[in-house]
Amino acid sequence: MNLFLPVPVLLPLVTAIALFLVRHHQKIQERLSNASLAVNLAFALSLLSATAGGNIFIHRMGMWPFPFGIILAADRLTGTMVVLAAAIVAACTLFAQGYLSTNQRREVFHPLIHFQLMGIQGAFMTGDLFNLFVFFEVMLISTYALLAFYYNLDQLEVALKYTFLNLVASAMFLVGISFLYAQVGTVNMADLSVKIRELGPQPLMVVTAFIFLFVFSMKAALFPMHLWLPSAHSISPTHIGAVLAGVLVKVGIYSIIRCAWLIFPGPFKVLQPMIMTIALVTIVWGALGTLPQRSLKRILAYSTINQLGYIAFGVALLSPLGMTAAIFYIVSHAFLKSSMLLGAGLNQKLTGTVDLDEMGGMMAKAPYASALMLVGFLSLAGIPPLSGFFSKLFLLQAGFTQGAYLATGLALLMGVISLYYNFTTYQRMAWGTGGNEAREAPATMYSSVSFLASFAVIFGIGAAWLYEWSHLVASQITRPELYINAMRNAL
Amino acid sequence: MRSLILRTIAPIVLHLTLIFSLFLLLYGHNQPGGGFIAGLMTAVGIVLQWVTFDADDGWHRYNWPWDRIFSYGLALSACVGLFGLLSGYFLKGSAYEFNLPFIGEVEVLTAFFFDVGVYAVVVAVLLSILTTFCDRRAVIRGAPK
């Protein structure tokens, strides 16, 4: 497995180049893209099963020795996240092939989505802070282009907003890396962890950790930096929105987890009250933000912010139990929210609108599509036995066990609002009488939405199994010495 | 631009920049230099031609298929990385020595081909971005006239 570790980075890269070269032959391009995504998913699954035993795989690129070279590493968390990315991006690409009509600049969509996949998977695999920055940039640059995909003025505005905010974040990221390098003289994550612990508690290190928290919460759309998310979700093409909500924001959360447990365990303990506050404000803000919306996609976007608050809450507990709950939440939410955004896109294809008041009566017009949405809404609202219920349950359990009664109580209270907005949204969408006639949608769109929505049921009924796995993941990342030793002893 | 000085100097400067960028490209494995900076240098030389000999004239002279060139460059770099994977590590560099008549010993590093790929990517991406920006036909749909 060590030899094949670069595959999640290399395969999308090579595919993207090939897809760009054959961009004038649409059939070939589509088939090549699908084949590559299938191989990528298969590899991700084999990586997951290989990491399940607790092995941490290391690939030293260019054969440079431990703290100097660029290192790819895969533990259970990486395996989980890579599978998430591979599955969701594959489903979204399949969806896009039905969603886009032939003249809509498909030829650049496929190469871009593969570059984006390369950035995402690279960010999950890298064991080096500077390369995390590089993969973030790969991911962001393709996202900028994908957000402005239809080339119209609204989308350009969204893309510009996203670009500016993320340019600031990237600049801060570099500043943070240089702060770190000035203090400890390394950028390898394992080496950083050791040296920061040796350095002991230092105010400047807390400031550095804060810079990284700021940068990653921009990606993860936590409270003060969430402003880009609603318009990016609602105005960008649906499949891009689904990748954003499902995977891209999780890259930010993933990086926060790595910082909290591996790189800066000490400074994050100091910052804990702040992270907790950010998480709670994000929960409240996201829940209240859904109430005045009329567009289905915007409601889903605010609900994403709300859910990200819950995930950040789990991370902010800084305990193995909270981590387990957060991992469970990440996995179930990634599949759930991307299925719902794709479902919204399916509805848009069927009715030509995302406005809830114009939609109405979807239950009669397109029963299957609205049943898929119903599964999603029920799960988001937290109705057992669907995955959304268990993810909230474990989180609240972790919070109460740890004695954070006030914060957990607030999170629970906001759950009531989410119950309310999910039900009213579905009511407005599916019941009543709507103005629009339903049109046809290709079968690939239905199948990709069904594929993702089925996980809401699978992770609901198989919650014990997923919890077991999340526990395994959490038990590995909460002991950073495993990761450090694996890197030190790498051949 | 109609400046006589610029029109006289620009072609000479083009040759100088090209030679210097080639020097940087060949020099860059163990010394300062390399594909990236050499690519920037070349692109700057060509852009100077555009500025000097009006958009249209300079354009036609250097209107190569840049999009193709950068994808080939990227492919070349990726292939060098994959070649390293044959010996067990991605991006692993290796050196080969040849004894050529008249010239003597020549050392060829796989890193050089990687650099050439980077060079092609940098030149082609910069020039294709600039061509797109300067393209008067590009219209954004829905933009106010």
Side-chain angles (χ1 to χ4, degrees):
Chain A
M1 192 47 87
N2 280 334
L3 178 65
F4 295 109
L5 220 51
V7 169
V9 183
L10 269 180
L11 184 66
L13 171 66
V14 173
T15 316
I17 299 168
L19 289 177
F20 189 77
L21 286 173
V22 299
R23 67 189 179 284
H24 299 302
H25 310 277
Q26 215 162 80
K27 264 275 168 289
I28 302 174
Q29 197 191 33
E30 215 161 78
R31 278 185 197 147
L32 192 60
S33 163
N34 289 347
S36 159
L37 287 168
V39 173
N40 186 43
L41 183 58
F43 180 81
L45 286 170
S46 66
L47 182 68
L48 184 73
S49 68
T51 53
N55 290 330
I56 296 177
F57 298 100
I58 306 285
H59 185 95
R60 293 183 294 138
M61 294 213 269
M63 217 173 90
W64 294 99
F66 157 60
F68 308 113
I70 297 166
I71 291 182
L72 295 180
D75 58 358
R76 285 184 188 131
L77 180 61
T78 303
T80 316
M81 300 306 279
V82 169
V83 170
L84 274 190
I88 291 173
V89 170
C92 291
T93 312
L94 199 65
F95 182 88
Q97 288 166 5
Y99 187 75
L100 298 173
S101 50
T102 38
N103 55 356
Q104 280 176 324
R105 314 199 319 132
R106 285 175 131 178
E107 70 277 5
V108 293
F109 166 71
H110 282 112
L112 280 173
I113 198 102
H114 280 271
F115 274 123
Q116 195 186 31
L117 185 64
M118 172 198 168
I120 293 168
Q121 294 187 340
F124 291 144
M125 307 275 306
T126 182
D128 177 298
L129 205 55
F130 192 78
N131 270 277
L132 187 65
F133 170 77
V134 173
F135 284 123
F136 263 47
E137 287 302 302
V138 172
M139 177 179 94
L140 288 171
I141 287 170
S142 36
T143 312
Y144 301 150
L146 283 169
L147 278 178
F149 187 68
Y150 293 144
Y151 231 50
N152 60 29
L153 213 55
D154 284 345
Q155 289 192 345
L156 279 183
E157 187 199 324
V158 171
L160 210 61
K161 211 193 283 181
Y162 186 75
T163 310
F164 280 152
L165 284 172
N166 277 298
L167 276 181
V168 173
S170 298
M172 291 303 285
F173 199 164
L174 269 185
V175 169
I177 290 173
S178 52
F179 264 49
L180 262 186
Y181 196 77
Q183 288 175 82
V184 292
T186 178
V187 285
N188 182 290
M189 288 185 190
D191 206 27
L192 273 174
S193 176
V194 175
K195 287 194 171 145
I196 289 174
R197 198 173 314 151
E198 278 170 5
L199 208 61
Q202 273 207 348
L204 194 55
M205 198 51 89
V206 178
V207 175
T208 316
F210 173 74
I211 293 174
F212 283 102
L213 181 66
F214 165 79
V215 172
F216 297 141
S217 48
M218 176 76 83
K219 264 67 174 186
L222 299 179
F223 167 62
M225 277 78 74
H226 65 281
L227 294 165
W228 58 270
L229 192 134
S231 42
H233 275 39
S234 53
I235 295 170
S236 64
T238 308
H239 41 276
I240 311 300
V243 174
L244 269 175
V247 191
L248 237 66
V249 291
K250 305 297 186 298
V251 180
I253 297 278
Y254 166 86
S255 314
I256 292 179
I257 293 175
R258 278 273 184 253
C259 280
W261 287 103
L262 181 67
I263 305 174
F264 305 107
F268 263 66
K269 275 270 183 309
V270 181
L271 289 175
Q272 188 184 16
M274 188 173 167
I275 308 170
M276 187 58 100
T277 317
I278 289 176
L280 288 174
V281 177
T282 311
I283 292 175
V284 175
W285 199 275
L288 297 182
T290 52
L291 299 177
Q293 305 301 333
R294 287 183 59 192
S295 148
L296 178 57
K297 281 186 180 176
R298 277 191 96 83
I299 290 182
L300 291 176
Y302 274 101
S303 143
T304 303
I305 296 176
N306 177 12
Q307 309 277 314
L308 285 167
Y310 279 107
I311 297 174
F313 176 78
V315 177
L317 289 173
L318 288 183
S319 68
L321 210 57
M323 210 55 250
T324 310
I327 306 264
F328 190 100
Y329 217 120
I330 289 172
V331 176
S332 73
H333 176 255
F335 284 107
L336 181 60
K337 191 46 66 64
S338 46
S339 91
M340 296 196 65
L341 270 166
L342 289 188
L346 183 59
N347 272 321
Q348 192 179 7
K349 184 91 174 178
L350 290 169
T351 59
T353 177
V354 283
D355 193 311
L356 284 170
D357 295 335
E358 288 172 29
M359 207 177 272
M362 286 306 292
M363 198 51 137
K365 281 184 280 189
Y368 186 59
S370 65
L372 286 175
M373 289 299 277
L374 179 62
V375 173
F377 276 119
L378 286 179
S379 179
L380 262 186
I383 304 294
L386 297 169
S387 64
F389 168 71
F390 291 102
S391 38
K392 279 202 181 95
L393 177 73
F394 295 137
L395 202 63
L396 299 176
Q397 206 178 16
F400 282 126
T401 313
Q402 215 163 316
Y405 296 111
L406 199 66
T408 319
L410 188 62
L412 185 60
L413 190 70
M414 286 300 133
V416 179
I417 294 189
S418 96
L419 195 69
Y420 170 76
Y421 74 72
N422 281 310
F423 281 143
T424 48
T425 308
Y426 186 71
Q427 249 176 5
R428 287 161 76 183
M429 186 190 110
W431 297 353
T433 49
N436 288 354
E437 286 292 307
R439 280 172 283 180
E440 294 280 304
T444 48
M445 292 171 73
Y446 279 106
S447 56
S448 54
V449 180
S450 320
F451 167 71
L452 290 173
S454 67
F455 284 98
V457 183
I458 292 171
F459 290 148
I461 295 167
W465 173 81
L466 183 60
Y467 187 79
E468 191 63 33
W469 175 255
S470 311
H471 178 71
L472 283 177
V473 173
S475 67
Q476 196 176 35
I477 49 176
T478 48
R479 281 188 293 164
E481 63 274 11
L482 294 175
Y483 191 89
I484 295 166
N485 287 338
M487 267 209 193
R488 274 196 172 152
N489 304 330
L491 289 175
Chain B
M1 224 174 272
R2 297 186 180 282
S3 157
L4 182 64
I5 300 173
L6 200 58
R7 278 172 175 264
T8 320
I9 296 288
I12 305 168
V13 171
L14 177 67
H15 291 114
L16 285 178
T17 43
L18 285 183
I19 290 167
F20 187 58
S21 73
L22 204 63
F23 166 74
L24 283 175
L25 177 63
L26 293 169
Y27 196 63
H29 318 303
N30 304 318
Q31 306 287 334
F36 187 81
I37 190 70
L40 282 180
M41 191 73 81
T42 307
V44 164
I46 293 178
V47 168
L48 186 66
Q49 303 301 302
W50 286 4
V51 173
T52 314
F53 299 103
D54 263 358
D56 294 324
D57 190 17
W59 209 304
H60 291 306
R61 214 178 287 180
Y62 300 101
N63 196 9
W64 297 342
W66 297 117
D67 50 347
R68 240 162 226 293
I69 294 174
F70 74 63
S71 38
Y72 288 136
L74 206 54
L76 177 64
S77 292
C79 286
V80 175
L82 283 174
F83 181 74
L85 201 57
L86 292 181
S87 54
Y89 296 92
F90 179 55
L91 284 176
K92 164 117 173 52
S94 32
Y96 300 95
E97 283 190 11
F98 297 101
N99 240 330
L100 294 180
F102 306 117
I103 302 173
E105 283 211 346
V106 176
E107 197 185 30
V108 179
L109 299 160
T110 52
F112 170 69
F113 296 103
F114 186 84
D115 258 354
V116 171
V118 173
Y119 175 82
V121 171
V122 172
V123 174
V125 165
L126 276 176
L127 291 180
S128 69
I129 288 175
L130 286 172
T131 353
T132 315
F133 277 169
C134 304
D135 195 349
R136 297 195 185 97
R137 287 163 303 166
V139 184
I140 293 168
R141 256 178 280 150
K145 296 269 161 60

